[in-house]
Amino acid sequence: MERATALVQHGPGKFEFEEFTLPTLGEGDVLVRVEANGLCASDVEAYEGLDRDWDDRPRILGHEIAGVIQDMGPKSINRQGLEVGDRVCVNPFVSCGICRSCLIGDLSGCTGHVERLRYGMVPTSVSPSLWGGYSTHAFVPRNGILYKVPPSVDALDATLWQPIAGGFEWAIAQGGLRVGDRLLVLGPGQRGLGAVLAARQAGAGKVVVTGLTKDRFKLDVALELGADAVIDVETEDFVARSLELSDGEGFDVILDTTPHAVSPINDSVAALRRGGTIMVIGVKLRTLDGFPIDQFLYKRGTLKAVPGSTDRSYRLALDLVASNPGVMSKLRTHVFGFDRLGNALDVLKGEVAGENAINVVVTPDFTS
Ligand SMILES: [Zn+2]
Ligand SMILES: [Zn+2]
């Protein structure tokens, strides 16, 4: 009988392969055969045990899942025409549908579950255990949300739907970027680059991306993806260059994707247009000291923080992935089997000499 094999986390950096019985599917449930799982900074935090769901172990990490529908339970609900064999992306949040957050469309803020159901953050003690992407199979309950991937898009490209969805959500839906507006993206990682793609699609007037000297490779990719200019914040004067690139007015939306550092938020106030918005989406693990509140006040600025994405942004992102087939391979730099998760995360963190990582994917294969 077929069983699922999953990489199960027991402690910081401590993982073991375990087998699980495939679940019996109830009405509306779906079993996805995982093909690929994208990694992001939150995988690094979870790997090291720094995330806020740390107590919920053992668990199967991985929340950027693309795969093929292997089986479906009795169809008591409308799955928008999805059938066995369709390639899908899995919304990382399983929302209840009836709490106040869900009712205003904030699925990632759902408070309706006793156990928080976010892929990669659910202990294996919650039936049927398969709640993560570092696995051959993932379980999707009747209220789990799936997005059909067009046949022209392969599973590796499909995982990029997640960082690009963030770009739509943070820069446009929440940041309020309008046609012709200027966007400054702090940090050239996959989320920052996803924002470049989203902003171009949305008709941004100017898009500028910042990075460190060691990010040169990513800054070059930003230019290839449609950024008008890039700033190396180590060799250039960030504020002077930002103002120069925005006709002395500053940027309408500034999106901070940088992890851990708070100085980019403080520094960006000087680069903000009057009435502009600073969006914070990078986890900092520290407090914001030194924020120039008076300057921000007189600029009538907005500081906004939004984790996660909404359904609309996921859909826009999947459309963008499907309509730009050649572009995704510029973002995806590495693919590893799930037995090399540690290597994959080291590469993602930029700790492997000679490896320039943007989007790193793990697949449920054994490479060694
Ligand atoms: Zn992620
Ligand atoms: Zn809810």
Side-chain angles (χ1 to χ4, degrees):
M1 214 176 80
E2 190 183 12
R3 289 165 71 80
T5 301
L7 191 57
V8 179
Q9 183 178 34
H10 291 270
K14 265 197 72 188
F15 291 79
E16 283 168 26
F17 280 105
E18 290 176 27
E19 289 200 346
F20 295 90
T21 307
L22 294 186
T24 303
L25 301 181
E27 299 210 342
D29 296 345
V30 175
L31 183 69
V32 171
R33 178 170 58 76
V34 177
E35 296 182 293
N37 184 99
L39 300 180
C40 72
S42 53
D43 288 85
V44 176
E45 280 151 23
Y47 182 89
E48 293 168 353
L50 299 174
D51 61 294
R52 65 190 176 115
D53 298 286
W54 175 237
D55 293 336
D56 294 334
R57 285 171 289 131
R59 63 188 180 182
I60 303 167
L61 296 178
H63 59 277
E64 304 187 1
I65 303 170
V68 167
I69 295 181
Q70 175 164 327
D71 199 5
M72 302 177 86
K75 292 178 184 172
S76 59
I77 60 167
N78 180 359
R79 277 279 180 198
Q80 279 83 39
L82 284 172
E83 296 293 346
V84 169
D86 285 342
R87 178 164 291 134
V88 289
C89 288
V90 182
N91 189 309
F93 298 94
V94 180
S95 41
C96 75
I98 56 171
C99 74
R100 296 193 85 158
S101 293
C102 283
L103 290 173
I104 60 167
D106 177 16
L107 305 188
S108 67
C110 174
T111 55
H113 293 290
V114 177
E115 192 93 42
R116 202 163 84 100
L117 292 182
R118 183 198 173 195
Y119 284 91
M121 298 292 157
V122 183
T124 51
S125 57
V126 176
S127 176
S129 304
L130 301 173
W131 298 101
Y134 305 171
S135 173
T136 54
H137 298 78
F139 173 74
V140 180
R142 59 178 289 152
N143 52 335
I145 302 167
L146 295 170
Y147 301 94
K148 184 170 178 169
V149 178
S152 60
V153 178
D154 68 25
L156 296 176
D157 281 1
T159 65
L160 278 158
W161 134 98
Q162 178 110 354
I164 294 169
F168 278 109
E169 184 66 22
W170 305 319
I172 294 144
Q174 301 289 341
L177 189 88
R178 293 168 303 177
V179 171
D181 277 358
R182 302 186 190 102
L183 172 69
L184 177 61
V185 179
L186 310 180
Q190 58 183 341
R191 296 181 300 179
L193 296 175
V196 172
L197 288 170
R200 278 292 165 230
Q201 181 97 331
K206 181 164 270 186
V207 180
V208 176
V209 180
T210 72
L212 307 174
T213 302
K214 70 178 171 70
D215 296 326
R216 187 69 241 175
F217 163 77
K218 299 181 203 178
L219 295 174
D220 288 342
V221 172
L223 292 169
E224 281 184 59
L225 296 182
D228 297 286
V230 295
I231 302 173
D232 178 336
V233 297
E234 293 182 294
T235 61
E236 297 178 84
D237 181 329
F238 165 71
V239 173
R241 186 89 173 103
S242 298
L243 293 174
E244 182 191 337
L245 288 167
S246 57
D247 304 324
E249 293 182 347
F251 289 81
D252 301 279
V253 179
I254 299 179
L255 176 62
D256 174 40
T257 72
T258 61
H260 305 169
V262 295
S263 58
I265 301 174
N266 295 340
D267 297 346
S268 67
V269 174
L272 187 67
R273 187 175 190 167
R274 194 177 165 95
T277 298
I278 298 173
M279 292 293 303
V280 178
I281 59 108
V283 172
K284 301 297 188 185
L285 305 173
R286 69 197 68 202
T287 57
L288 182 58
D289 297 327
F291 187 75
I293 185 69
D294 292 348
Q295 187 183 18
F296 192 63
L297 170 69
Y298 294 125
K299 282 205 168 177
R300 290 131 173 93
T302 299
L303 180 65
K304 201 168 174 183
V306 177
S309 241
T310 56
D311 183 70
R312 176 175 159 78
S313 292
Y314 282 129
R315 290 180 190 282
L316 290 171
L318 200 46
D319 288 346
L320 191 152
V321 170
S323 55
N324 292 275
V327 171
M328 298 305 132
S329 57
K330 293 185 201 298
L331 286 170
R332 187 182 53 259
T333 52
H334 296 79
V335 180
F336 291 92
F338 62 175
D339 56 334
R340 292 184 61 200
L341 175 67
N343 300 69
L345 292 170
D346 287 343
V347 166
L348 183 68
K349 283 186 282 181
E351 292 179 354
V352 179
E355 299 292 337
N356 289 311
I358 300 176
N359 171 250
V360 179
V361 176
V362 291
T363 62
D365 299 301
F366 290 90
T367 44
S368 56

